[in-house]
Amino acid sequence: MSTGGVMLVAVQHTGGARGDGLTGAEAKVAQWMRTWTGDFGLPGVTVFNAVTSTGMADALVLSPYGCVVIEIDGFTRRQDGALHAPADGAWQVDGQPAALHSQNPLDLCSANVKAVRETLRAAGITTGTVPGLVVLLPTPGARVHLADGAETDGVVVVLAPHQKPLRQYFHTLCRSQKVWDANTVAAAARALKLTEHVPNVLELYQHGIPETIYSPQDAQEPAPPPKPAPAPPTPVAVAPRRGGTTRLVLVIALGLLVLVGLAWLVGTVYDVFHGPTEVP
């Protein structure tokens, strides 16, 4: 699976004879990550010895998939059998204390996961999750395997006698949804005080971190066209009401007609009874 990016590796706190402050299992994991290019590349930045509000994380990985908090430990001697890794209590291999530098690396990783989550939340970065990863390196030739239940609160335990199991974890991560663009990665680096070791936005983009994050479900459906306004009702012609003046004129005209009719009738009756008498 090609991710189209290169894993950048930096160390926040350096020192010691090696010059980078990394020894043992941490140095081995850093060496592996520096070779992850091409088909094995992961676009992102890994900062080793990164300080958190509760202590120091062995490594923080900032990528388009969020921030992964890593705790790295190695067996101090060969042990074979089933590794029981409870969230609380000391780890054991077949009933014997696990020959690790820490009694419970899961507990250390969980504390740093919570610290990183709180720091990012306080900076307003709420997208994505902050998973934790415990990487254990057995001694060469050891036959040790994880018992059931070696996971809690989003923290996964990976046994890595070689780099393939660790690389597989990040390849699985790369199949998840991208949640951070270059600006968000840079903002996370500022919140976690890693800016000295994380490139600027342009360089992050050039190393395979997307410029923007687009999610199809974020696209809003276009609003439906507005419905045409209903046509105004056709006005109905209403006969104008006759005013008082018109009514008065009609009454007067009717009265005159009545008077004329009466005068005619009286004249006619008079002529009938009082007309001139014919002389023989």
Side-chain angles (χ1 to χ4, degrees), residues 45-280:
V45 184
T46 300
V47 180
F48 284 82
N49 293 346
V51 175
T52 70
S53 61
T54 59
M56 180 182 292
D58 287 337
L60 297 180
V61 180
L62 304 181
S63 77
Y65 310 97
C67 177
V68 181
V69 179
I70 303 180
E71 181 70 23
I72 304 170
D73 207 337
F75 284 81
T76 59
R77 57 183 175 84
R78 176 169 178 164
Q79 283 186 299
D80 300 315
L83 170 64
H84 295 269
D88 299 317
W91 288 10
Q92 296 182 338
V93 177
D94 283 353
Q96 298 297 319
L100 300 169
H101 293 90
S102 169
Q103 288 189 340
N104 191 325
L106 195 63
D107 186 57
L108 294 175
C109 190
S110 295
N112 282 321
V113 166
K114 292 177 182 177
V116 170
R117 287 175 181 172
E118 291 173 359
T119 300
L120 294 178
R121 189 180 303 113
I125 302 173
T126 58
T127 55
T129 59
V130 181
L133 175 64
V134 175
V135 182
L136 301 178
L137 276 63
T139 57
R143 298 180 178 274
V144 60
H145 62 276
L146 282 172
D148 294 336
E151 178 178 351
T152 184
D153 192 27
V155 180
V156 177
V157 179
V158 172
L159 278 171
H162 44 74
Q163 65 173 312
K164 184 176 180 180
L166 181 59
R167 197 171 61 206
Q168 182 60 44
Y169 171 87
F170 283 103
H171 274 213
T172 301
L173 181 69
C174 289
R175 289 195 289 268
S176 62
Q177 182 180 2
K178 293 180 179 180
V179 293
W180 285 2
D181 56 21
N183 283 299
T184 308
V185 170
R190 288 193 297 272
L192 297 168
K193 297 179 173 55
L194 301 175
T195 51
E196 182 181 351
H197 309 283
V198 175
N200 59 40
V201 173
L202 178 59
E203 292 175 345
L204 289 171
Y205 173 65
Q206 292 173 342
H207 280 89
I209 297 179
E211 183 178 11
T212 57
I213 295 295
Y214 172 77
S215 180
Q217 57 266 29
D218 293 337
Q220 297 182 353
E221 295 183 0
K227 295 181 179 180
T234 304
V236 178
V238 179
R241 297 178 61 185
R242 292 189 175 93
T245 302
T246 304
R247 189 179 299 110
L248 179 60
V249 171
L250 290 176
V251 170
I252 293 173
L254 182 59
L256 290 175
L257 288 176
V258 171
L259 290 176
V260 172
L262 288 175
W264 176 81
L265 181 60
V266 171
T268 301
V269 172
Y270 182 85
D271 289 341
V272 171
F273 291 98
H274 299 285
T277 304
E278 183 178 343
V279 179

